[in-house]
Amino acid sequence: MRKTGRPTSRDVAQAAGVSQSTVSIVLAGKWAGRISPGTAQSVRDAAVRLGYRPNLAARNLRLGRNRTVLLVVPTLTSMFFGGVHTGAARAAAAHGFGVVVYPWPEVTGLARSPFAAAHEAIDGILASSMAVDVLGELDPLPQVMLDSDPAGEAPTVNFDVAGGTRAVVGHLAALGHRRIGHVAASVDAWTFRARAGALAGAVRDLPAGVLTSGRTAIEIGAARTAAGRLLHRRDRPTALVCDDDLIAAGAYKAARELGLDVPADLSITGFDDMLLARAVEPELTTVRLPAEQLGAQGMAALLELLDGRRPGSVSLPVELVVRASTAPVASVNGQGVR
Amino acid sequence: MRKTGRPTSRDVAQAAGVSQSTVSIVLAGKWAGRISPGTAQSVRDAAVRLGYRPNLAARNLRLGRNRTVLLVVPTLTSMFFGGVHTGAARAAAAHGFGVVVYPWPEVTGLARSPFAAAHEAIDGILASSMAVDVLGELDPLPQVMLDSDPAGEAPTVNFDVAGGTRAVVGHLAALGHRRIGHVAASVDAWTFRARAGALAGAVRDLPAGVLTSGRTAIEIGAARTAAGRLLHRRDRPTALVCDDDLIAAGAYKAARELGLDVPADLSITGFDDMLLARAVEPELTTVRLPAEQLGAQGMAALLELLDGRRPGSVSLPVELVVRASTAPVASVNGQGVR
DNA sequence: CTGAAAGCGCTTACAG
DNA sequence: CTGAAAGCGCTTACAG
């Protein structure tokens, strides 16, 4: 009688009248040519009968690997990171790996690292959208950084946000916009720095281009305030480029407050293309960031790393999705801008 | 020389000049009165110097438990389940437990159970918003069901959606609404059945109350169509009760298409109160479902279960958040309804 | 105050 | 074709 009611391979062996090692070989599917079919079948029957499931801890200990990867994200409450998780889990599952997700520092707090918990039974780390190298110092495990500064130590998988930003500016420029306002996310992350840099460059290259900008938390109320400030300027921008769809939703509210029609009086663009983009009215022109693909490719890179190979850093193309929030700039005499 | 570069407690012991068991005792913090402070310190120093971290698989095997719980959700790409995960992870962390999340059947597919993967190193299961008992047959592990039919075997933690629905109807009734349209989610889940039942009851209790209803996938386009159908009826409802904020966003679009002003011509309510509710215009009156609390309480119940106690089923109160999408019903002669 | 030993449940050479 | 044995890295009685 064991403490736990859970049957072990030894129980199965006893029930099938064979040795424990035979059970192990049969259930691992490695019996062909080593165990007689009849014996194999009786082992399988016994396993089913007893409801046997192997003890993972024992297997992992024996094998020296866990077939599990830790995914670290800033927050769990976001469709974007949900997408990253989904893609990572799918890619992992295809290789028999599992993924455990850890928000950091949200739940653990900065003091405790995400590695203090039970999840330490991991083989590698996938970290998304982290400030540079916070993880590098914490853990020597193989790791891949997602949506992070490619200048770091670890291989990265990123979106081509610079390209996406240029596509936005190209689209706006074609509509006649020259005064662009950037409602930037006040988050210290590579992706936002890259967007700001690309935007500055693209507007600079625009004949008569003028860039103004303000920063905001990624939150509707704050975004409304920040966008409102930009819209109150004498040289009011005719288009607002927002670092996130949620910020764009705030910008919509600021526009409405000022009696500005979107897109007739003001064009607005976002970033992400989560469902928010289609929920608002008018539907939002935005840069689609394929989160699942980020997770999947990141996992693929990490799996390579675990395999002893050295994956290159990759940049995923993004797509500008044009909807109804952008339109040709209003005629010069349109709205009393000087 | 071991295969892996990772130091073990044996390495630490050797470096500190003590036995392996001493290392184990010291690092577990159980040395007081058993090991001299000096020895303890030298063990700790050696552990730090070597970058030692205990092998979880070995510890779990030895201890017969994993301190890990599996959270099963229908999808990862949802702020709601992100909230559930956050709450569960927080409650778990407080007890030294970790949680691994598994979407099911999204990633695995129905064929493979979520238990086929590495995550089998778990002690219990928290399953959210599942069709009844899909899990019961699959796994004998202790489990708690979230947002699920309380008639099942396992203890449940649910929202008081019936109460929330009644609050919605009470609010609408106070505004003079009698003709209520239910834009229901076409998802086979306890929570939606409970909402439909409560709504039917509440409208029946309303003098001159009339309920019409239609079903839709939880998706903007489909919701717009379903809501539009309700709004085209001769006895057009003056208020639309939507099973989800996203459905409400679709209803907004249907109203706009018909030239109906929200809330002057049509009141609309939702369920969830994810950020979508504040992104749309006008901001949505909705029933707030505290997802994090669901996760946290569910985890608490599961931890009790793992502790050998038998937790009762609980129903969490929900709150109606009144915003700008509901208003007094338009005067009878208002819009040619009849 | 410290160490030697058993054993958690597996997988995998190795022996027969 | 099958079994006995070693050993993965821990924790915890037990002995001294």
Side-chain angles (χ1 to χ4, degrees), chain A residues 8-50:
Chain A
T8 70
S9 61
R10 182 164 257 101
D11 297 318
V12 176
Q14 192 170 359
V18 299
S19 77
Q20 185 264 333
S21 51
T22 298
V23 171
S24 184
I25 290 165
V26 169
L27 297 183
K30 298 180 177 167
W31 59 279
R34 307 218 265 149
I35 308 286
S36 71
T39 305
Q41 192 54 48
S42 71
V43 167
R44 268 189 250 100
D45 290 346
V48 169
R49 187 149 24 90
L50 298 184

Side-chain angles (χ1 to χ4, degrees), chain B residues 9 20 24 30 52 59 62:
Chain B
S9 60
Q20 185 265 333
S24 184
K30 298 180 178 169
Y52 170 74
R59 168 181 291 167
R62 174 61 233 238

Side-chain angles (χ1 to χ4, degrees), chain A residues 275-296:
Chain A
L275 53 75
L276 196 59
R278 291 201 49 234
V280 293
E281 199 53 50
E283 299 193 354
L284 183 68
T285 294
T286 189
V287 177
R288 176 176 298 163
L289 266 24
E292 284 201 27
Q293 206 187 331
L294 186 76

Side-chain angles (χ1 to χ4, degrees), chain A residues 33-90:
Chain A
R34 307 218 265 149
I35 308 286
S36 71
T39 305
Q41 192 54 48
S42 71
V43 167
R44 268 189 250 100
D45 290 346
V48 169
R49 187 149 24 90
L50 298 184
Y52 170 74
R53 291 208 340 265
N55 178 315
L56 253 281
R59 168 181 290 167
N60 289 342
L61 173 58
R62 175 62 234 239
L63 263 23
R65 53 170 181 53
N66 305 108
R67 300 220 132 224
T68 300
V69 159
L70 177 69
L71 171 64
V72 184
V73 295
T75 174
L76 264 16
T77 321
S78 134
M79 301 223 324
F80 180 80
F81 294 115
V84 173
H85 183 183
T86 303
R90 210 186 299 273

